[in-house]
Amino acid sequence: MSTMLRTIEFLGLSLWLGSDVFLSFVVAPGAFSLLGSRDQAGAMVGFALGRMHFIGVVCGIVILVARLLRTRTFASLAAPAALCVVLMIALTVVSQQAVSPKMAALRTQMGSIQATAADNPLRVEFDRLHQRSVMLETGVLLAGFAAMYLLVRELAAARK
Protein backbone atom coordinates (compact mmCIF):
# COMPACT_ATOMS: atom_id res chain seq x y z
CA MET A 1 0.00 0.00 0.00
CA SER A 2 2.86 2.37 0.81
CA THR A 3 4.34 1.91 -2.67
CA MET A 4 0.98 2.67 -4.28
CA LEU A 5 0.54 5.84 -2.22
CA ARG A 6 4.07 7.01 -3.00
CA THR A 7 3.35 6.33 -6.68
CA ILE A 8 0.25 8.53 -6.43
CA GLU A 9 2.39 11.32 -4.94
CA PHE A 10 4.88 11.10 -7.80
CA LEU A 11 2.15 10.77 -10.42
CA GLY A 12 0.22 13.78 -9.11
CA LEU A 13 3.33 15.94 -9.06
CA SER A 14 4.39 14.72 -12.51
CA LEU A 15 0.99 15.49 -14.01
CA TRP A 16 0.98 18.96 -12.50
CA LEU A 17 4.53 19.78 -13.59
CA GLY A 18 3.95 18.31 -17.04
CA SER A 19 0.80 20.35 -17.60
CA ASP A 20 2.57 23.53 -16.48
CA VAL A 21 5.53 22.90 -18.78
CA PHE A 22 3.24 21.99 -21.68
CA LEU A 23 1.12 25.11 -21.29
CA SER A 24 4.13 27.39 -20.85
CA PHE A 25 6.35 26.04 -23.60
CA VAL A 26 3.93 24.55 -26.14
CA VAL A 27 0.34 25.83 -25.86
CA ALA A 28 1.02 29.52 -25.15
CA PRO A 29 3.76 30.03 -27.75
CA GLY A 30 1.78 27.98 -30.28
CA ALA A 31 -1.41 29.95 -29.70
CA PHE A 32 0.38 33.27 -30.14
CA SER A 33 2.14 32.16 -33.30
CA LEU A 34 -0.71 30.27 -35.01
CA LEU A 35 -3.97 32.00 -34.13
CA GLY A 36 -5.26 34.96 -36.10
CA SER A 37 -4.93 37.56 -33.37
CA ARG A 38 -3.27 38.11 -30.01
CA ASP A 39 -6.77 38.46 -28.52
CA GLN A 40 -7.74 34.96 -29.69
CA ALA A 41 -4.44 33.55 -28.47
CA GLY A 42 -4.87 35.20 -25.08
CA ALA A 43 -8.38 33.80 -24.79
CA MET A 44 -7.11 30.32 -25.63
CA VAL A 45 -4.25 30.52 -23.13
CA GLY A 46 -6.58 31.94 -20.45
CA PHE A 47 -9.00 29.05 -20.98
CA ALA A 48 -6.19 26.47 -20.77
CA LEU A 49 -4.69 28.19 -17.72
CA GLY A 50 -7.97 27.97 -15.82
CA ARG A 51 -8.24 24.25 -16.54
CA MET A 52 -4.60 23.71 -15.64
CA HIS A 53 -5.11 25.53 -12.33
CA PHE A 54 -8.03 23.28 -11.48
CA ILE A 55 -6.06 20.15 -12.34
CA GLY A 56 -3.08 21.43 -10.35
CA VAL A 57 -5.07 22.08 -7.19
CA VAL A 58 -6.72 18.66 -7.44
CA CYS A 59 -3.31 17.02 -7.96
CA GLY A 60 -1.92 18.95 -4.98
CA ILE A 61 -4.72 17.80 -2.70
CA VAL A 62 -4.33 14.20 -3.90
CA ILE A 63 -0.57 14.38 -3.26
CA LEU A 64 -1.09 15.62 0.29
CA VAL A 65 -3.83 13.08 1.05
CA ALA A 66 -1.70 10.22 -0.31
CA ARG A 67 1.18 11.45 1.83
CA LEU A 68 -1.02 11.53 4.94
CA LEU A 69 -2.33 8.03 4.25
CA ARG A 70 1.19 6.74 3.61
CA THR A 71 2.86 8.28 6.64
CA ARG A 72 -0.16 8.26 8.97
CA THR A 73 0.99 11.48 10.59
CA PHE A 74 0.13 15.13 10.07
CA ALA A 75 3.76 15.96 10.82
CA SER A 76 4.59 14.69 7.32
CA LEU A 77 2.85 17.79 5.95
CA ALA A 78 5.64 19.87 7.50
CA ALA A 79 8.31 18.04 5.49
CA PRO A 80 9.99 20.18 2.80
CA ALA A 81 8.44 18.25 -0.12
CA ALA A 82 4.92 18.68 1.28
CA LEU A 83 5.54 22.35 2.00
CA CYS A 84 6.55 22.83 -1.63
CA VAL A 85 3.25 21.28 -2.72
CA VAL A 86 1.34 23.53 -0.29
CA LEU A 87 3.19 26.52 -1.79
CA MET A 88 2.26 25.34 -5.29
CA ILE A 89 -1.41 25.14 -4.29
CA ALA A 90 -1.30 28.59 -2.68
CA LEU A 91 0.36 30.24 -5.69
CA THR A 92 -2.11 28.55 -8.04
CA VAL A 93 -5.13 29.67 -6.02
CA VAL A 94 -3.84 33.25 -5.88
CA SER A 95 -3.34 33.23 -9.64
CA GLN A 96 -6.75 31.75 -10.36
CA GLN A 97 -8.79 33.68 -7.80
CA ALA A 98 -7.02 37.05 -7.59
CA VAL A 99 -5.11 37.65 -10.83
CA SER A 100 -7.04 35.86 -13.60
CA PRO A 101 -10.44 37.44 -12.84
CA LYS A 102 -8.93 40.94 -12.86
CA MET A 103 -7.24 40.23 -16.18
CA ALA A 104 -10.51 38.93 -17.62
CA ALA A 105 -12.37 42.05 -16.47
CA LEU A 106 -9.73 44.31 -18.03
CA ARG A 107 -9.85 42.27 -21.25
CA THR A 108 -13.61 42.84 -21.37
CA GLN A 109 -13.27 46.57 -20.67
CA MET A 110 -10.66 47.00 -23.40
CA GLY A 111 -12.55 44.93 -25.96
CA SER A 112 -9.26 44.17 -27.66
CA ILE A 113 -5.91 44.06 -25.92
CA GLN A 114 -4.20 44.09 -29.28
CA ALA A 115 -5.97 47.33 -30.31
CA THR A 116 -5.43 49.08 -26.96
CA ALA A 117 -2.50 51.47 -26.78
CA ALA A 118 0.38 50.35 -24.56
CA ASP A 119 0.11 53.53 -22.47
CA ASN A 120 -3.65 53.17 -21.86
CA PRO A 121 -4.18 52.76 -18.07
CA LEU A 122 -6.25 49.60 -18.62
CA ARG A 123 -3.50 48.08 -20.75
CA VAL A 124 -0.80 49.12 -18.28
CA GLU A 125 -2.73 47.38 -15.49
CA PHE A 126 -3.34 44.31 -17.67
CA ASP A 127 0.37 44.07 -18.50
CA ARG A 128 1.25 44.40 -14.80
CA LEU A 129 -1.17 41.61 -13.90
CA HIS A 130 0.17 39.48 -16.74
CA GLN A 131 3.67 39.81 -15.30
CA ARG A 132 2.32 38.83 -11.88
CA SER A 133 0.64 35.80 -13.45
CA VAL A 134 3.90 34.76 -15.11
CA MET A 135 5.74 35.17 -11.81
CA LEU A 136 3.17 33.05 -9.98
CA GLU A 137 3.39 30.29 -12.61
CA THR A 138 7.19 30.42 -12.45
CA GLY A 139 6.94 30.02 -8.68
CA VAL A 140 4.67 26.99 -9.11
CA LEU A 141 7.10 25.44 -11.57
CA LEU A 142 10.16 26.05 -9.38
CA ALA A 143 8.40 24.79 -6.25
CA GLY A 144 7.31 21.73 -8.24
CA PHE A 145 10.87 20.97 -9.33
CA ALA A 146 12.00 21.37 -5.73
CA ALA A 147 9.20 19.08 -4.54
CA MET A 148 10.17 16.42 -7.08
CA TYR A 149 13.81 16.56 -5.98
CA LEU A 150 12.79 16.35 -2.32
CA LEU A 151 10.42 13.43 -2.97
CA VAL A 152 13.20 11.55 -4.73
CA ARG A 153 15.57 12.34 -1.88
CA GLU A 154 12.99 11.08 0.66
CA LEU A 155 12.61 7.85 -1.30
CA ALA A 156 16.36 7.32 -1.52
CA ALA A 157 16.75 7.93 2.23
CA ALA A 158 13.92 5.49 3.00
CA ARG A 159 15.61 2.76 0.95
CA LYS A 160 18.94 3.01 2.80
Side-chain angles (χ1 to χ4, degrees):
M1 183 66 154
S2 178
T3 301
M4 178 59 118
L5 291 169
R6 195 177 292 272
T7 300
I8 290 170
E9 288 178 69
F10 276 100
L11 180 60
L13 188 55
S14 298
L15 288 170
W16 194 351
L17 283 173
S19 68
D20 203 342
V21 168
F22 186 71
L23 179 74
S24 300
F25 298 104
V26 178
V27 173
F32 282 98
S33 68
L34 296 174
L35 294 178
S37 75
R38 294 189 63 78
D39 291 323
Q40 289 176 335
M44 175 64 205
V45 172
F47 173 83
L49 186 63
R51 297 305 194 269
M52 185 188 76
H53 284 162
F54 177 77
I55 291 168
V57 170
V58 169
C59 284
I61 292 167
V62 167
I63 292 164
L64 296 175
V65 168
R67 183 177 193 84
L68 277 173
L69 292 172
R70 180 176 57 79
T71 63
R72 297 177 189 193
T73 174
F74 282 100
S76 69
L77 296 181
L83 291 175
C84 284
V85 172
V86 170
L87 177 61
M88 291 171 71
I89 293 170
L91 293 173
T92 299
V93 169
V94 167
S95 181
Q96 185 62 33
Q97 298 301 316
V99 178
S100 293
K102 290 177 184 175
M103 289 178 72
L106 287 167
R107 191 178 298 116
T108 300
Q109 287 177 329
M110 287 184 279
S112 170
I113 297 165
Q114 186 173 334
T116 303
D119 62 349
N120 180 300
L122 296 174
R123 174 70 184 269
V124 170
E125 179 64 7
F126 181 87
D127 291 344
R128 186 185 70 77
L129 288 169
H130 179 264
Q131 285 302 316
R132 183 169 291 161
S133 175
V134 169
M135 288 172 39
L136 288 166
E137 290 307 322
T138 300
V140 170
L141 198 56
L142 293 174
F145 289 147
M148 185 64 78
Y149 169 79
L150 293 165
L151 281 175
V152 170
R153 193 173 80 177
E154 281 179 5
L155 181 60
R159 293 187 183 259
K160 286 185 179 182

